[in-house]
């Protein structure tokens, strides 16, 4: 079981048991079906034949020597009575009751006790068999012994797992035995089992956990082995199956950069948290774990991104959302971080870039200055100002202004928080205490921003003093004077200088020196704030810029005082210094009810002098905190009287403050516990050696005031303002930190905040102030290598640059001038944020073939210090340039044939074998290779080849497929030359076009070809050449090979397009399909055409009848008016006279399809029907189907045309060739014809008595369904065309007028082009059969033999094979040879199933030139059908004799029970033979008339017909000779019924619905009582066509000189020069008509029949024939000295060859060469008689040599030699075909005779050729004769 989920896997598991070996009576099963089925088996009942019982009785707990009985309960659950008999157990260990019949009524039961008596400790098994009338069933009896058994699953399938991951599942196994069983599991990696071992009680189950930890991506199948038993002696296995794959995870984020995804947070307010998500996708089918980690960041950098997941798992095909929180803390900074997604076992890592920008508040004041005007002493003025937050960030602000009454200006609220995009209105009060001008520059501290300043001015007048009133313009002039260094002069001095023209007034009314000194640089808001907090000396102490006299007019020291002495009143001094050149008045602002006071409250201070004041702290309440900011105004003393000051020299007063903090806690008193919030405890300064500022927010979260203090001495490099202060409950204090980072500064500076003046309450503030040098990291250790690049092309490479510092750096690439044309980078300048990696794209564009070594420099600097010293990093760039080229994978790409008008897509593979990428553009040049096209078609035709992409780039050593499409527009051969040009990076062409490849294709139309034709039915008598001509198949193939005209492509596919019944025709190709003629009611004319797709594209074809092209109209749209042609077409189509099956189809290249065309002869007349042969996207050919049906008694000759053209004949010849014209009898009766020769005689008379055209057989007879040949001789007198109209009369038939044309030509004019060869039309007819007719069992190897051009008097032979393809039928064949010039050996024979026969055809050309167009028919009959015919004929003859001899008595007095049969005959004996009915007397079952054959050794005349009768006569006699059916009297039922008569179908002519008359019905009843003579089986015909043309010897030698040596000329036969003396060609005598029907013919027939019968009955004649055939005749007997008898046939022609089974092929009678005959006496004997008897040996030898030479030169000797060689070769072929000779066997090595013998042999050979010894010659002849 496959344990995919936890569960009990034992339901389909296996039971593993321990075998007990030899102790068993029967071998126990070690592998059994387990489960709970066995435990439940005793309680499970089964039904057998309606009896419910147990399937098995099982004994488990038993002991030796005891008896154990169990009861088998049988219950009848059917509704009928059951009787059972049982067979007791066969063994003696199981016993039961004595066998008896158990009767069970419906619903009753019977208990059968079964006792078990064991004798040995082993297993027992037996059965009880029960029998009932419905069958039997068995109940198994089994006794088992306890043994160890485990029930385990067959296999366990674990969930798929990723590599380096693990998956697990559980399975259960059980102890299936009743013994305590121990187990121990063993399994190999990567599987683990837990527990591995243990002990199981009987029936106990154990849960096993399987762990799967793969280390590779594989399919694991491991057998886990479990040893169990007492000592582990048994074992079982479980197949553990697991599948592991490589894990793969993807990150889905909105952004995308080169090599990583991007999660962009955008602008996030400082102090806020923003959460965004990205997804981790698992597209695989396995669960994958992952871990997220940050990439290494620069040291001391802040971690502002928090990821919600560090590790996890992703289920298959799911995703999880991972949150990322961005908490920025540094305003106007962009933070970049990288998260790395790693999976155990994965092949790659995935990066995620997270980035965000921190934005701070944008706070402003509605006015930077408030003018309170002039206020009387003791009064106050109120003004308002708006503080505005125009950003989306919450803003914290705080005005550094005392709120306890120590300042003349009061602001409410002094601190607070501004929500985003909001504003708040502030109230300011002015309460002056002294008559003077007041000016204070109040600072507004902002968190994360630089402070804002608010200028407050006001003037106080008293009754005594009225100082000058301050206006805003005075502040403007003051700032100009301050920048020009004039504020340190008192107003009176400035007035004197102005009077002395030492200073001037500018256009704006401000004073200026004649020599303008260096302007004091403007301070930043933070510097100005720090200077004010430090009492004007902080800048000098910290190395600030500018001169102290100009920047600080008055300073205070110390700027803050701490009073932490408890409740004791104390005082401290504070010193104020005057840095001006005038006398100042110092006035402190008093505060009533304050714990702090200053004495003296006012004084005057001279120039450049200092004075001390005493600040006293007198707390009025214990255990409290106090804090204040003491305010002191300093002004030039001359300003008290406005009369002493000019308006343009007026200088506003200065304000200095002293911050005081104190508490009144008594000693030992616990201070308040502070509750505060500090943002942020860690302060990080920029890593630059510049003065930097940071702000920290301290909030009092409690209900009590909070005092803080920072010790400046703790960290001298960092200054904090304010260093101490009092924060009221719910208020906050903005601390500003200032430092200049240094390189030697530690990474962390401790800073301690002390709260509530207690050492217990502190808060550490961590400050990072470290200078870092700008540092960038270049990929590849500062080297960049470009791949090889083509000259002029451009290659790009990404390059990574990373910022390793906490500073944002601006970079700029500097490329030397000459190298800028070769390399470039984008972007070449930009900003790299801290920890950011930027991917830059480098481009390499070489201009010459070389190796480039370039060194651009990367310059970078901190973005905050643009004027600092810049850092520089060199980059080594190496690139190689080469000249690129491409080539096609195939130089010539042949597409084959493409359908015109269609398209074909293909791919041109381009290969770049170089080391660089090549950019190219392609061009196509088209050329047409058909020479028959017009010249301008090359330019007019559009380019048929289209490229999907003409431009592209091929990488180095790569292959690119260019998809192209070809759309040929015409049928021709196309050639496309593809050229390419390399392109530069800008797309411009670099070089001239270069040849790439050549694409060839041919536009074609769908083509079909008729490769074979078969025919049956009424056209069976026609030859294959005639059918080929009737159906115009040669022209059809020619039309199919031509191009369709544009009108033919109007409808590319079969479409109903016509509203008429005679559709429109779009083609000019029209052909006739002539089905010839046949009698009415005959078999349909069936013609099978084999269509083959000879092209390379599929062809869809269809035959469309007129009804298939007509659009179906509604009934109301039919006009009802039809023409005669339409009515005829409707008649033909409605009656289905013409039929095509199938009508349509599709043929792939090389496929063939047989299409059947049939014509039914149901109506008399000529039927025509136009059928459109349509090739989709191709030709349309109109086929005119035509067929003729004639009456059965009509004499009809079928002519396919009224014109016949003879083959051209040269003029001046003495032996013109004989030509033939075919006449076909299409009727059912024989006919006689006569050719009217009067036009021929007139033609002869017109040509001076020269017979130009002669008909050799003007009269003759044609059998039904056969063809007769009219022989003609065309002998032209001039080189012109002769035409003559000749009438052919048919006896009792019609007369047809035909036109015969013949052409004469002059050989001397035409020369080699003279048309003397055999007509090509004979060659186009297929010579082999490619398809079989139904029920065809015999096949010819060749159906047409074209012997070509042969000389006269020559003999040509061919070898044919007949093959019986049937698996069961034996066939008989017989060649019907009607022409004496052709012989086939053997003429007849029999073929067993699967057997083949070799036939040799011999054509003996006559002495006259002729055209041979022969149709030889082979009649094929099934032997079984012929045997059945003979049996039926014998029964018919017996019945005929019985009826002749039998008579009936019709006396009424006789009893009807008496029979009228002759004595010795019963009813069964006088009717038909036993076992045969009347229907069995015609043809055997399963065979038709065309399937009959003849036995071996019998010809048609011997086997099929009676003696002296021909086939037609036999058929006539069969139709006339009938027997009446045997008559019976009384109600006697005949056992056999007669066959129905073969009625003529002429009744159909009158109409199909005509009801037969009473006379016709009576005639039919009488005909049904006639038992006709059985007809012989009609043989199946095989046609063998033989065509040849014989030429005169002189003509053949002239025009075919090379072929003369391949023919043997029978020189003994003299060629006929004239036709008049030739018996062969002389027409029969007109005066002596042929023998007609009558008494004369009957007498001759009777006489010949008697002679033949007497010979056939003579046993001696039979014996002599058999002995004559069997006697072998050697070749040398032809040379014996016998008398020459001209009439004696050639001995070797009729005698069989020695050692062969059959007689050699018969040859035509040739003159013999006999040594003692007349030939010898004529040439040799006379010489020997004249010589004397006494001659010398030399003379005698010469005489013999002369005789031999004379014999060799005789033509008869050459003919005999040719015949011997031909017969020898034919005999060898026959033996090879029969397997008696292996032609391919290796020749045997024969040992040569001695040298002397060889010399003698050579000498004798020379003598035989020259003057050989006559004695030796005689000896040689004698040896030959003896052998």
């Amino acid at each position: 079981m496959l344990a995919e989920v936890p569960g009990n896997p034992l339901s389909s598991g296996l039971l593993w048991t321990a075998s007990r070996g030899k102790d068993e009576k029967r071998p126990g099963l070690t592998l059994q079906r387990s489960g709970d089925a066995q435990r439940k088996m005793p309680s499970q009942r089964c039904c057998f034949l309606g009896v419910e019982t147990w399937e098995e009785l099982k004994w488990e707990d038993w002991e030796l020597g005891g008896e154990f009985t169990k009861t088998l309960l049988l219950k009848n659950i059917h509704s009928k009575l059951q009787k059972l008999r049982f067979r007791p157990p066969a063994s003696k260990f199981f016993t039961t009751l004595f066998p008896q019949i158990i009767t069970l009524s419906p619903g009753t039961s019977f208990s059968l006790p079964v006792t078990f008596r064991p004798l040995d400790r082993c297993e027992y098994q037996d059965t009880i068999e029960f029998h009932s009338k419905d069958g039997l069933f068995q109940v198994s009896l089994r006794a088992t012994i306890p043994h160890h058994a485990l029930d385990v699953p067959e296999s366990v399938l674990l969930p798929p797992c990723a590599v380096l991951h693990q998956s697990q599942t559980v399975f259960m196994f059980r102890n299936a035995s009743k013994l305590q069983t121990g187990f121990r599991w063993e399994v190999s990696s990567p599987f683990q089992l837990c527990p591995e071992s243990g002990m199981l009680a009987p029936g106990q189950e154990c849960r096993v956990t399987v762990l799967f930890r793969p280390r590779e991506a594989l399919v694991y199948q491991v057998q886990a082995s479990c040893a169990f038993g007492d000592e582990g002696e048994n074992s079982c296995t479980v197949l553990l199956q697991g599948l592991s794959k490589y894990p793969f995870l993807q990150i889905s984020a909105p952004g995308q950069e080169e090599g990583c995804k991007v999660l962009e947070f955008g602008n996030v307010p400082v102090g806020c948290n923003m959460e965004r998500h990205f997804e981790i996708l698992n597209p695989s089918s396995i669960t994958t774990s992952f871990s997220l980690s940050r990439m290494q960041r620069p040291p001391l950098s802040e971690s502002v991104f928090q990821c919600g997941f560090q590790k996890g798992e992703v289920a298959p095909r799911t995703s999880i959302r991972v949150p990322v929180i961005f908490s920025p803390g540094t305003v106007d900074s962009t933070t970049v971080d990288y998260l790395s997604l790693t999976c155990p076992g994965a092949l790659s890592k995935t990066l995620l870039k997270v980035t965000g920008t921190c934005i701070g508040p944008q706070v402003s004041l509605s006015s930077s200055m408030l003018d309170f005007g002039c206020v009387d002493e003791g009064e106050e003025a109120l003004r308002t100002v708006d503080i505005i937050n125009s950003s989306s960030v919450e803003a914290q602000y705080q005005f550094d202004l005392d709120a306890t009454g120590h300042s003349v200006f009061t602001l409410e609220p002094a601190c607070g928080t501004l929500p985003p995009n909001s504003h708040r209105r502030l109230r300011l009060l002015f309460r002056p205490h002294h008559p003077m001008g007041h000016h204070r520059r109040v600072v507004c501290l902002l968190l994360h921003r630089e402070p804002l300043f608010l200028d407050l001015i006001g003037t106080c007048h008293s009754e005594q003093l009225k100082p000058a009133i301050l206006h805003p313009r005075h502040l403007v002039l003051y700032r100009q004077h301050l920048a020009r260094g004039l504020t340190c002069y008192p107003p009176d001095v400035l007035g004197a200088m102005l009077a002395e023209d030492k200073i001037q007034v500018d256009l704006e009314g401000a004073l200026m020196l004649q020599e303008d000194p260096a302007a004091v640089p403007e301070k930043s808001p933070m510097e100005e704030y720090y200077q004010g907090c430090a009492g004007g000396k902080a800048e000098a102490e910290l190395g600030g810029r500018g001169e102290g006299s100009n920047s600080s007019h008055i300073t205070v020291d110390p700027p803050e005082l701490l009073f932490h002495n408890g409740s004791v009143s104390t005082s401290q001094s504070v010193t104020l210094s005057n840095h001006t050149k005038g006398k100042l008045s110092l006035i402190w602002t008093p505060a009533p009810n304050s714990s702090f006071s200053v004495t003296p409250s006012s004084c005057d201070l001279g120039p450049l002098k200092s004075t001390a004041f005493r600040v006293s702290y007198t707390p009025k309440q214990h255990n409290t905190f106090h804090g204040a900011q003491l305010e002191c105004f300093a002004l030039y003393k001359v300003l008290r009287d406005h009369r002493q000051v000019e308006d343009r020299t007026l200088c506003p007063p200065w304000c200095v403050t002293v911050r005081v903090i104190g508490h009144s806690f008594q000693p030992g008193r616990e201070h308040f516990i502070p509750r505060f919030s500090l943002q942020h405890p860690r302060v990080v300064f920029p890593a630059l050696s510049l003065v930097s500022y940071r702000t920290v927010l301290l909030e009092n979260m409690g209900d009590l005031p909070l005092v803080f203090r920072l010790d400046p001495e703790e960290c001298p490099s960092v200054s904090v303002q304010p260093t101490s202060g009092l924060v009221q409950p719910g208020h906050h204090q903005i601390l500003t930190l200032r430092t200049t980072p240094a390189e030697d500064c530690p990474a962390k500076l401790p800073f301690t905040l002390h709260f509530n003046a207690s050492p217990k309450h502190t808060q550490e503030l961590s400050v990072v102030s470290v200078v870092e040098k700008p540092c960038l990291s270049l990929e590849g250790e500062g080297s960049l290598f470009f791949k090889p690049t083509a000259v002029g092309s451009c290659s790009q490479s990404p390059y990574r640059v990373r910022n390793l510092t906490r500073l944002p750096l601006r970079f700029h690439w500097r490329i030397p001038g000459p190298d800028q044309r070769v390399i470039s980078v984008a972007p070449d300048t930009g900003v790299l944020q801290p920890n950011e990696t930027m991917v830059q794209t480098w481009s390499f564009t070489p201009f010459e073939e070389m190796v480039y070594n370039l060194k651009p420099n990367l310059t970078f600097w901190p973005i905050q210090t643009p004027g600092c010293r810049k850092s520089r990093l060199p980059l080594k760039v190496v690139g190689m340039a080469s000249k690129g080229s491409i080539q096609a994978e195939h130089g010539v790409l042949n597409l084959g044939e493409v359908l015109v008008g269609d398209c074909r897509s293909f791919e041109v593979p381009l290969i770049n074998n170089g080391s660089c990428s090549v950019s190219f553009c392609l061009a196509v040049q088209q050329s047409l290779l058909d020479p028959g096209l017009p010249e301008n078609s090359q330019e007019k035709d559009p380019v048929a080849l289209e490229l999907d992409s003409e431009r592209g780039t091929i990488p180095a050593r790569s292959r690119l497929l260019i998809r192209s499409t070809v759309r040929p527009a015409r049928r021709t051969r196309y050639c496309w030359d593809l050229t390419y040009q390399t392109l530069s990076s800008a797309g411009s062409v670099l070089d001239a076009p270069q040849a790439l490849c050549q694409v060839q294709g041919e536009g074609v139309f769908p083509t079909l070809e008729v490769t074979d034709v078969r025919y049956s039915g009424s056209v069976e008598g026609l030859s294959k050449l005639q059918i080929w001509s009737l159906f115009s198949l040669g022209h059809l193939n020619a039309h199919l090979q031509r191009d369709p005209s544009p009108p033919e492509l109007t409808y590319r596919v079969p479409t109903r397009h016509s509203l008429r019944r005679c559709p429109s025709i779009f083609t000019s190709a029209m052909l006739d399909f002539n089905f010839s003629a046949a009698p009415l009611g005959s078999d349909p004319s069936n013609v099978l055409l084999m269509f083959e797709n000879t092209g390379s594209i599929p062809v869809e074809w269809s035959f469309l009848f007129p009804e298939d092209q007509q659009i179906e109209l509604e009934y109301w749209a039919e006009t009802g008016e039809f023409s005669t042609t339409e009515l005829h077409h409707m008649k033909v189509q409605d009656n289905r006279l013409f039929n095509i099956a199938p009508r349509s189809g599709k043929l792939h290249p090389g496929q063939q399809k047989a299409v059947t065309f049939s014509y039914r002869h149901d109506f008399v007349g000529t039927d025509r029907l136009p059928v459109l042969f349509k090739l989709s996207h191709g030709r349309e050919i109109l086929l005119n189907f035509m067929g003729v049906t004639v009456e059965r008694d009509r004499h009809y000759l079928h002519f396919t045309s009224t014109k016949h053209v003879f083959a051209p004949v040269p003029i001046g010849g003495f032996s013109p060739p004989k030509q033939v014209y075919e006449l076909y009898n299409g009727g059912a009766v024989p006919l006689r014809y006569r050719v009217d020769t009067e036009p021929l005689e007139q033609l002869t008379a017109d040509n001076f008595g020269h017979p130009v055209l002669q008909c050799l057989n003007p009269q003759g007879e044609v059998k039904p369904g056969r063809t007769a040949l009219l022989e003609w001789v065309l002998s032209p007198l001039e080189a012109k065309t002769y035409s003559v109209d000749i009438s052919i009369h048919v006896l009792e038939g019609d007369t047809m007028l035909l036109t015969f044309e013949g052409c004469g030509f002059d050989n001397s004019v035409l020369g080699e082009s003279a048309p003397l060869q055999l007509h090509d039309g004979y060659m186009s007819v297929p010579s082999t059969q490619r398809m079989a007719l139904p029920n065809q069992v015999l096949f010819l190897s060749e159906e047409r033999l074209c012997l070509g051009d042969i000389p006269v008097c020559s003999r040509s032979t061919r070898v044919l094979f007949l093959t019986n393809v049937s698996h069961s039928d034996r066939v008989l064949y017989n060649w019907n040879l009607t022409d004496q010039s052709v012989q086939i050996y053997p003429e007849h024979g029999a073929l067993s199933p699967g057997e083949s026969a070799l036939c040799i055809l011999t054509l003996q050309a006559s002495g006259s030139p002729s055209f041979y167009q022969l149709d030889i028919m082979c009649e094929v009959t099934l032997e079984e059908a012929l045997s059945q015919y003979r049996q039926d004929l014998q029964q018919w003859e017996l019945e005929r004799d019985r009826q002749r001899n039998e008579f009936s008595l019709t006396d009424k007095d006789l009893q009807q029970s008496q029979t009228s049969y002759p004595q010795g005959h019963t009813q069964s004996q006088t009717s038909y033979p036993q076992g045969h009915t009347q229907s069995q007397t015609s043809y055997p079952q399963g065979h038709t008339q065309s399937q009959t054959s003849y036995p071996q050794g019998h010809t048609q005349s011997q086997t099929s017909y009676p003696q002296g009768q021909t086939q037609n006569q036999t058929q006539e006699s069969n139709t006339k000779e009938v027997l009446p059916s045997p008559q019976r009297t009384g109600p006697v039922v005949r056992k056999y019924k007669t066959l129905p008569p073969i009625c003529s179908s002429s009744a159909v002519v009158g109409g199909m619905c005509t009801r037969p008359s009473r006379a016709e019905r009576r005639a039919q009843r009488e005909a049904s009582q006639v038992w006709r003579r059985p007809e012989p089986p009609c043989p199946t015909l095989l046609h063998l066509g033989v065509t040849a043309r014989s030429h005169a010897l002189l003509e053949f030698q002239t025009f075919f000189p090379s072929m003369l040596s391949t023919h043997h000329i029978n020189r003994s036969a003299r060629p006929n020069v004239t036709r008049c003396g030739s018996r062969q060609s002389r027409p029969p005598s007109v005066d002596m008509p042929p023998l007609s029907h009558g008494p004369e013919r009957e007498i001759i027939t009777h006489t010949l029949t008697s002679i033949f019968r007497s010979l056939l009955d003579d046993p001696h004649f039979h014996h002599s024939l058999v002995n004559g055939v069997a006697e072998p005749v050697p070749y040398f007997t032809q040379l014996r000295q016998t008398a020459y008898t001209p009439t004696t046939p050639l001995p070797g022609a009729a005698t069989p060859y020695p050692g062969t089974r059959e007689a050699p092929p018969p040859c035509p009678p040739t003159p013999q060469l006999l040594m003692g005959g007349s030939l010898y006496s004529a040439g040799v004997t006379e010489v020997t008689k004249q010589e004397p008897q006494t001659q010398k040996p030399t003379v005698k030898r010469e005489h013999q040599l002369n005789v031999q030479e004379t014999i060799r030169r005789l033509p008869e000797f050459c003919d005999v030699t040719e015949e011997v060689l031909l017969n020898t070769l034919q005999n060898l072929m026959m033996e090879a075909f029969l397997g008696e000779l292996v032609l391919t066997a290796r020749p045997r090595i024969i040992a040569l005779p001695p040298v002397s013998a060889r010399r003698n042999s050579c000498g004798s050979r020379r003598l035989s050729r020259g003057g050989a010894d006559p004695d030796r010659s005689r000896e040689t002849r004698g040896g030959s004769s003896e052998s």
Side-chain angles (χ1 to χ4, degrees), residues 459-480:
T459 306
C460 178
H461 283 184
S462 64
E463 294 180 358
Q464 293 81 13
L465 295 176
K466 298 203 181 280
I469 300 175
L470 291 177
H471 294 285
R473 67 175 182 276
H474 295 145
L475 291 181
V476 176
L477 294 176
Y478 168 76
R479 291 192 178 89
Q480 293 182 1

Side-chain angles (χ1 to χ4, degrees), residues 530-552:
Y530 259 78
Q531 184 177 357
C533 292
K537 61 180 180 179
E539 187 163 342
E541 293 177 357
L542 296 175
R545 298 165 301 180
E547 298 180 359
S549 59
N550 293 333
S551 60
S552 300

Side-chain angles (χ1 to χ4, degrees), residues 1277-1515:
L1277 191 62
E1278 302 177 73
K1280 69 175 185 179
T1281 301
Y1282 296 90
S1283 178
V1284 59
D1285 296 333
I1286 298 177
S1287 300
I1288 299 179
H1289 305 283
V1290 178
L1291 187 63
E1292 298 181 2
D1294 300 332
T1295 300
M1296 188 68 181
L1297 183 63
L1298 300 180
T1299 301
F1300 291 89
E1301 288 186 0
C1303 178
F1305 63 92
D1306 190 355
N1307 282 334
S1308 60
V1309 177
L1310 298 180
E1312 295 181 356
S1313 62
L1316 288 175
Q1317 296 182 356
L1318 189 63
H1319 193 264
D1320 295 339
Y1322 302 146
M1323 313 291 185
S1324 62
V1325 181
S1327 61
T1328 58
Q1329 181 178 354
R1330 297 196 179 187
M1331 58 180 171
L1333 288 172
N1335 301 324
Q1336 182 180 356
V1337 295
L1338 198 65
F1339 286 83
L1340 268 172
S1341 59
E1342 290 186 82
E1343 290 185 316
R1344 291 198 56 77
L1345 293 177
C1346 184
L1347 303 179
D1349 297 280
I1350 59 176
V1352 295
C1353 300
S1354 64
R1355 180 167 53 187
S1356 302
T1357 59
R1358 294 291 186 270
V1359 176
L1360 301 173
F1361 295 95
L1362 283 171
T1363 304
N1364 182 7
V1365 298
S1366 175
H1367 297 285
S1368 59
D1369 297 330
R1370 179 181 173 89
V1371 296
L1372 307 176
Y1373 66 91
N1374 179 46
W1375 290 100
N1376 189 4
L1377 301 177
T1378 59
D1379 198 319
Q1380 298 296 330
S1381 61
V1382 177
Q1383 294 185 2
I1384 298 180
Y1385 170 77
E1387 290 189 11
H1388 51 78
L1391 291 178
S1392 300
E1395 186 181 0
S1396 299
L1398 183 143
C1399 298
I1400 299 175
L1401 179 140
T1402 303
L1403 174 66
Q1404 180 65 48
S1406 64
S1408 302
S1410 302
F1411 282 86
Y1412 293 95
Q1413 185 175 335
L1414 307 176
D1415 182 34
I1416 305 173
M1417 288 183 289
C1418 180
E1419 299 176 349
V1420 182
T1421 310
L1422 292 178
E1423 187 178 32
E1424 182 181 357
L1426 188 59
S1427 301
Q1428 183 67 33
Y1429 162 71
R1430 291 175 177 175
Q1431 183 178 0
D1432 295 341
L1433 182 61
Q1434 182 181 5
Q1435 295 174 3
W1436 185 87
E1437 291 176 349
L1438 291 176
E1439 177 64 19
R1440 181 191 60 186
D1441 297 339
R1442 187 193 64 80
Q1443 292 185 9
R1444 286 178 181 177
N1445 301 326
E1446 183 183 90
F1447 61 93
S1448 301
L1449 297 177
T1450 58
D1451 196 350
K1452 299 181 180 180
D1453 297 336
L1454 297 178
Q1455 296 181 1
Q1456 295 183 357
S1457 60
Q1458 296 179 356
T1459 60
S1460 60
Y1461 304 125
Q1463 185 179 3
H1465 293 273
T1466 60
Q1467 180 180 358
S1468 61
Q1469 295 174 345
T1470 56
S1471 58
Y1472 301 107
Q1474 184 178 1
H1476 292 275
T1477 63
Q1478 184 181 1
S1479 62
Q1480 296 173 337
T1481 59
S1482 58
Y1483 303 107
Q1485 184 179 1
H1487 294 275
T1488 62
Q1489 184 180 359
S1490 62
Q1491 294 174 336
T1492 57
S1493 58
Y1494 309 99
Q1496 184 177 4
H1498 293 271
T1499 62
Q1500 183 180 4
S1501 61
Q1502 295 171 348
T1503 56
S1504 302
Y1505 315 111
Q1507 298 179 1
Q1509 294 184 0
T1510 62
Q1511 182 180 1
N1512 296 332
Q1513 295 170 353
T1514 308
Q1515 292 177 356

Side-chain angles (χ1 to χ4, degrees), residues 10 696 789 803 922 971 1003 1016 1117 1218 1447 1528 1727 1775 1798:
L10 302 178
V696 177
T789 307
N803 185 0
L922 299 178
R971 182 178 183 177
S1016 63
K1218 181 180 65 176
F1447 61 93
R1528 298 291 183 267
V1727 178
E1775 293 178 356
R1798 282 185 288 171

